[in-house]
């Protein structure tokens, strides 16, 4: 049985005091449950403080981005070591907003993925097609290219530290969720691709999250699909009641 993993990607939202408020509400509203892992991914500026609030709780901490170099003249960038030093356990890489707004290629994403895993963080690796790609009927081809590119040179041992998040770009922040059947179809495709690239056991153990307008009113149905093992939540994770309801949907 794969454990469900619900992660909140706060994106560029919430200053320090709002971060403290949100994470405290999440922590206090969580009921004990061993079947679900909960991860919060605040902006860099809130990571250290949020860590002090979650470190004795089941809530884990993730970063929204990371650079692949270890240190040096990379103005504005943050290294894996820096993330670890403030209590981060996870890093999100390959988010569609990074791919499109910040022009991150599969090659850059691959370097980041490798840095994350080599340096002992866990990875939330995002993939997903645009509306145009879906309408052209090339969704699976796009996902395959992103996965092969992002995981190039990464061996099976590291897969236990990887979550793949399927986030169709057309469903992000739009209120348009993929139907449970559409999401399940791609999750199953991803699992079979991982079996082809690695092994049946690696594919069977892989946690695949769905992301894209996950809300309390669609979470139960999405999370009950065979190959959907969790959610990467954007907008709805900024409201503690909604995020807690999505977490409960995974129980
Ligand atoms: P929304 O839940 O706001 O659609 O965002 C999803 C997302 O991009 C999470 O990484």
């Amino acid at each position: 049985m794969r454990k469900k993993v619900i992660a909140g990607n706060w994106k560029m939202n919430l200053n320090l005091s709002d971060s403290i408020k949100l994470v405290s509400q999440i922590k206090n509203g969580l009921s004990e449950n061993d079947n679900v892992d909960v991860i919060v991914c605040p902006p860099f500026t809130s990571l250290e403080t949020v860590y002090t609030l979650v470190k004795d709780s089941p809530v884990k901490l993730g970063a929204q981005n990371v650079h692949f170099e270890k240190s040096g003249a990379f103005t504005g960038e943050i290294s894996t070591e820096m993330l670890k030093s403030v209590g981060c356990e996870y890093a999100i890489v390959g988010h569609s907003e990074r791919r499109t707004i910040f022009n991150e290629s599969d090659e850059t994403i691959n370097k980041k993925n490798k840095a994350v895993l080599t340096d002992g963080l866990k990875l939330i690796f995002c993939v997903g097609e645009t509306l145009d790609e879906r309408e052209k009927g090339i969704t699976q081809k796009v996902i395959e290219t992103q996965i092969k590119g992002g995981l190039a040179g990464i061996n099976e041992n590291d897969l236990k530290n990887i979550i793949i998040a399927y986030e169709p770009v057309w469903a992000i922040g739009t209120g348009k969720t993929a139907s449970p059947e559409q999401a399940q179809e791609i999750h199953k495709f991803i699992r079979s691709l991982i079996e082809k690239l690695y092994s049946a056991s690696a594919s069977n153990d892989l946690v695949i999250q769905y992301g894209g307008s996950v809300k309390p009113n669609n979470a139960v149905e999405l999370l009950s699909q065979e190959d959907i093992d969790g959610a990467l939540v954007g907008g709805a994770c900024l409201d503690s009641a909604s995020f807690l309801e999505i977490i409960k949907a995974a129980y």
Side-chain angles (χ1 to χ4, degrees):
M1 258 290 274
R2 293 180 294 269
K3 205 170 184 181
K4 294 267 194 287
V5 185
I6 306 295
N9 174 7
W10 298 11
K11 307 193 179 182
M12 196 174 75
N13 293 295
L14 307 191
N15 63 20
L16 188 56
S17 65
D18 291 337
S19 299
I20 293 170
K21 216 183 292 168
L22 178 61
V23 80
S24 306
Q25 288 167 348
I26 293 169
K27 201 175 70 164
N28 296 335
L30 270 186
S31 40
E32 255 181 56
N33 189 298
D34 285 340
N35 300 326
V36 183
D37 278 341
V38 177
I39 306 167
V40 292
C41 304
F44 288 133
T45 45
S46 296
L47 285 173
E48 184 181 1
T49 303
V50 167
Y51 179 66
T52 62
L53 296 168
V54 299
K55 67 175 193 291
D56 297 319
S57 84
V59 180
K60 298 180 166 118
L61 189 65
Q64 298 172 22
N65 185 24
V66 64
H67 191 54
F68 50 81
E69 295 287 354
K70 289 203 178 305
S71 64
F74 303 101
T75 301
E77 295 296 326
I78 301 284
S79 73
T80 53
E81 195 48 53
M82 293 168 186
L83 294 181
K84 286 196 290 182
S85 75
V86 293
C88 270
E89 207 175 310
Y90 289 85
I92 298 174
V93 176
H95 193 280
S96 68
E97 286 147 21
R98 302 287 326 165
R99 290 177 189 264
T100 55
I101 306 169
F102 302 99
N103 297 319
E104 288 190 10
S105 64
D106 286 330
E107 197 185 354
T108 304
I109 290 163
N110 179 240
K111 285 186 190 164
K112 291 187 174 196
N113 285 349
K114 283 178 173 160
V116 164
L117 296 164
T118 309
D119 298 344
L121 285 164
K122 293 176 184 151
L123 174 65
I124 301 178
F125 168 41
C126 306
V127 296
E129 82 287 3
T130 62
L131 184 57
D132 185 47
E133 289 161 342
R134 176 161 282 266
E135 284 172 347
K136 281 189 183 133
I138 56 168
T139 297
Q140 296 192 356
K141 194 165 158 265
V142 168
I143 303 291
E144 181 164 346
T145 304
Q146 290 174 345
I147 289 184
K148 282 184 173 163
L151 297 184
I154 289 172
N155 65 37
E156 184 164 339
N157 255 350
D158 284 322
L159 276 196
K160 59 180 182 301
N161 294 319
I162 300 177
I163 292 171
I164 293 185
Y166 168 57
E167 298 204 307
V169 180
W170 48 272
I172 295 178
T174 58
K176 275 190 215 156
T177 325
S179 69
E181 296 74 28
Q182 280 174 322
Q184 165 58 24
E185 184 194 359
I186 301 304
H187 281 236
K188 193 173 175 194
F189 170 74
I190 293 171
R191 204 175 296 289
S192 65
L193 179 62
I194 294 298
E195 177 170 353
K196 214 162 65 183
L197 296 174
Y198 294 93
S199 71
S201 74
S203 129
N204 195 44
D205 292 346
L206 178 72
V207 170
I208 309 176
Q209 291 178 320
Y210 170 78
S213 297
V214 176
K215 309 283 178 210
N217 65 6
N218 58 28
V220 171
E221 226 191 325
L222 284 162
L223 291 166
S224 61
Q225 301 299 307
E226 192 181 341
D227 290 293
I228 301 186
D229 310 311
L232 182 54
V233 185
C237 81
L238 299 173
D239 173 69
S240 60
S242 298
F243 191 55
L244 287 164
E245 238 185 283
I246 294 169
I247 294 166
K248 286 204 184 91
Y251 281 2

